Amino acid sequence: MKPQSLNRRQWLKTGALALGAVAVTPQSLWSKTVEEAQNNNRRFLYTHSSFNEFTPPKFPDLNTVRARLVWNENPHGPSKKAAAAFQEAVFDGNHYSWGSLEELVEKIAAYEGVETNQIMMGPGSSDLLEKTAMVLFQEGGNVISADPSYMSLVSVAKAAGGKWKSVKLTPDYQHDLEAMEAAIDDDTKLVYITNPNNPTATITDTKKLYDFCDRVSDRVPVFIDEAYIELSDGGMANSMAPLVAKGKDVYVSRTFSKIHGMAGLRIGYMLGNVDSLETINKVTRGGMGISGPSIAAAKTSMDDAEYLTSCKAKIKEARDYTTDYLAKRGIEFMPSETNFVIFPIDMEGDAFLEQIYERKIVVRAFKFWDQNWCRVSMGTMDEMKIFTDAIDEIIV
């Protein structure tokens, strides 16, 4: 069946089955995917050209693990104020939440410095990445992104009939903006940049990226995925949102899953050109999958600056502890401005996962640039000490 012949329902199903957004997939689906890979003796859980993920051993009951360091979650959870707002809103669960969603959109517009019609809501930012890909690549074309990068948008673009043009990061782990611009051709539908990048945890120079987006968006749309931007050293000063306010054809996505600690509550948004967002909304509405309690929690969390600042400080403390440990062990690592760290391992990734899973610690392992890597999310300090003790035993 050709991509352009699919109806709306079929497109939505295609997007749901394109398992690129592993980091936000429910545990049951993740476990099923792992089990299928094991049953078929697949060494790699996902393969993306030069960027592959090792299949872990049987995924444990997460209630039994000693350190949950696998999906870049905020170990400190949502603020107590946000949780209380969620609980209170449950009692209005018999009503649709359009009014409260509009209030949240207005709050976001004021925060981001854009108009309300430049915002599209969704149940997490990955949902919006995928919807964008589903719409833009119905008739083919290519998407340009980094090697490696977060694969949610790219995977759905490929499933829809598009092609991926990957561009290796620079030696200092930034997006190679010059090479990405040179890769644009007549078939390019989108340039996709994750900043800070996942899985490398590294950030691209803000001024260079701004100038790139300002210039390139006159040729093709540019999508900046900023799921981790609040955790970066410069925080929101690193955001490309001002380009949306300027009227450029730039998308910027944001999530409540990371700094806000609301990964399980499923809420995010993206900013964009009014016409571009309308094109997506004609195919699939963004705010349909968000619950009223999640909206209430998000509104409250945005006002709890003290808690967000505390979370960032605790995550940085855990990250500094982890990188100091790696440095003392003589293990190189990529400089992180997120809530995870990635470092090379001198053993096969699947063998590494076997050993660390035996110790009831869950992380992820990748292979790219002819090297095996461990990506560890930042947990509590106790969890990070459990992790480093395990590394002492595994990497001798």
Side-chain angles (χ1 to χ4, degrees):
M1 181 178 290
K2 294 181 179 180
Q4 56 265 36
S5 67
L6 293 176
N7 62 32
R8 179 176 181 273
R9 181 177 299 235
Q10 289 169 321
W11 272 113
L12 294 176
K13 184 177 180 181
T14 299
L17 294 178
L19 299 173
V22 177
V24 295
T25 307
Q27 179 187 346
S28 59
L29 183 54
W30 169 268
S31 300
K32 183 178 179 180
T33 305
V34 170
E35 183 179 358
E36 180 185 343
Q38 293 167 340
N39 291 341
N40 289 282
N41 295 315
R42 291 207 316 263
R43 189 180 188 203
F44 293 113
L45 188 63
Y46 295 105
T47 56
H48 303 288
S49 184
S50 60
F51 172 39
N52 302 311
E53 177 172 2
F54 285 98
T55 298
K58 181 176 174 58
F59 205 68
D61 179 350
L62 288 179
N63 293 319
T64 69
V65 301
R66 299 167 62 220
R68 177 171 168 149
L69 311 173
V70 64
W71 288 321
N72 301 342
E73 298 159 322
N74 182 341
H76 309 293
S79 76
K80 290 182 179 179
K81 292 178 182 178
F86 182 97
Q87 291 174 315
E88 182 64 28
V90 167
F91 297 104
D92 290 325
N94 57 313
H95 300 303
Y96 289 112
S97 307
W98 304 126
S100 58
L101 183 61
E102 288 178 6
E103 292 173 2
L104 177 58
V105 169
E106 290 171 358
K107 194 177 193 70
I108 291 169
Y111 175 73
E112 298 283 2
V114 300
E115 301 297 324
T116 56
N117 60 357
Q118 293 177 301
I119 299 169
M120 183 173 177
M121 302 299 301
S125 59
S126 289
D127 175 82
L128 295 166
L129 301 181
E130 294 173 2
K131 286 175 176 173
T132 301
M134 287 162 57
V135 173
L136 294 188
F137 294 92
Q138 292 184 51
E139 298 180 1
N142 65 63
V143 55
I144 298 169
S145 77
D147 168 22
S149 183
Y150 185 57
M151 295 301 295
S152 179
L153 184 149
V154 173
S155 294
V156 175
K158 291 167 67 178
K163 296 182 179 179
W164 177 36
K165 296 179 73 174
S166 63
V167 177
K168 187 176 180 179
L169 298 175
T170 63
D172 61 349
Y173 313 120
Q174 297 192 44
H175 284 79
D176 191 335
L177 300 176
E178 183 176 339
M180 295 181 85
E181 185 170 2
I184 297 172
D185 59 29
D186 292 341
D187 292 327
T188 301
K189 297 286 185 68
L190 188 70
V191 176
Y192 171 64
I193 292 174
T194 307
N195 194 52
N197 192 34
N198 181 10
T200 63
T202 52
I203 196 164
T204 297
D205 180 86
T206 300
K207 185 180 185 307
K208 290 180 180 178
L209 182 57
Y210 183 96
D211 292 342
F212 171 87
C213 294
D214 192 23
R215 179 178 64 256
V216 169
S217 63
D218 290 337
R219 297 174 59 190
V220 296
V222 181
F223 198 126
I224 310 296
D225 178 358
E226 294 184 349
Y228 301 94
I229 201 76
E230 296 97 335
L231 292 165
S232 67
D233 292 345
M236 293 298 290
N238 292 323
S239 177
M240 296 297 111
L243 287 162
V244 178
K246 189 177 176 180
K248 290 292 185 174
D249 197 4
V250 173
Y251 300 88
V252 174
S253 63
R254 197 104 57 223
T255 183
F256 285 83
S257 297
K258 306 305 177 184
I259 187 66
H260 291 272
M262 294 168 51
L265 303 189
R266 307 314 305 133
I267 187 164
Y269 62 91
M270 71 176 175
L271 317 176
N273 177 286
V274 174
D275 292 337
S276 297
L277 293 188
E278 180 58 29
T279 298
I280 298 170
N281 270 309
K282 286 178 180 178
V283 179
T284 172
R285 287 183 289 173
M288 289 294 292
I290 309 173
S291 73
S294 292
I295 294 168
K299 287 194 295 183
T300 303
S301 187
M302 288 183 71
D303 290 332
D304 199 347
E306 182 179 355
Y307 181 76
L308 299 178
T309 300
S310 172
C311 277
K312 183 172 181 176
K314 290 177 182 177
I315 289 168
K316 185 179 186 303
E317 180 185 16
R319 190 176 71 208
D320 288 346
Y321 166 81
T322 305
T323 55
D324 286 348
Y325 164 82
L326 293 171
K328 290 175 182 177
R329 283 292 313 267
I331 301 173
E332 296 182 2
F333 53 89
M334 294 192 193
S336 172
E337 294 205 25
T338 66
N339 61 342
F340 59 92
V341 174
I342 191 167
F343 60 93
I345 47 178
D346 290 329
M347 60 190 301
E348 291 302 321
D350 42 5
F352 172 79
L353 290 176
E354 285 278 358
Q355 293 197 46
I356 203 160
Y357 270 50
E358 284 178 1
R359 293 166 172 81
K360 293 295 184 73
I361 302 167
V362 287
V363 297
R364 295 173 78 173
F366 301 98
K367 184 166 188 173
F368 57 89
W369 303 347
D370 296 320
Q371 173 67 56
N372 297 318
W373 305 82
C374 168
R375 193 197 73 180
V376 56
S377 305
M378 295 300 99
T380 64
M381 283 300 296
D382 286 344
E383 287 179 303
M384 300 321 298
K385 290 174 182 177
I386 290 170
F387 172 75
T388 54
D389 286 347
I391 295 298
D392 278 336
E393 296 173 357
I394 297 170
I395 302 177
V396 293

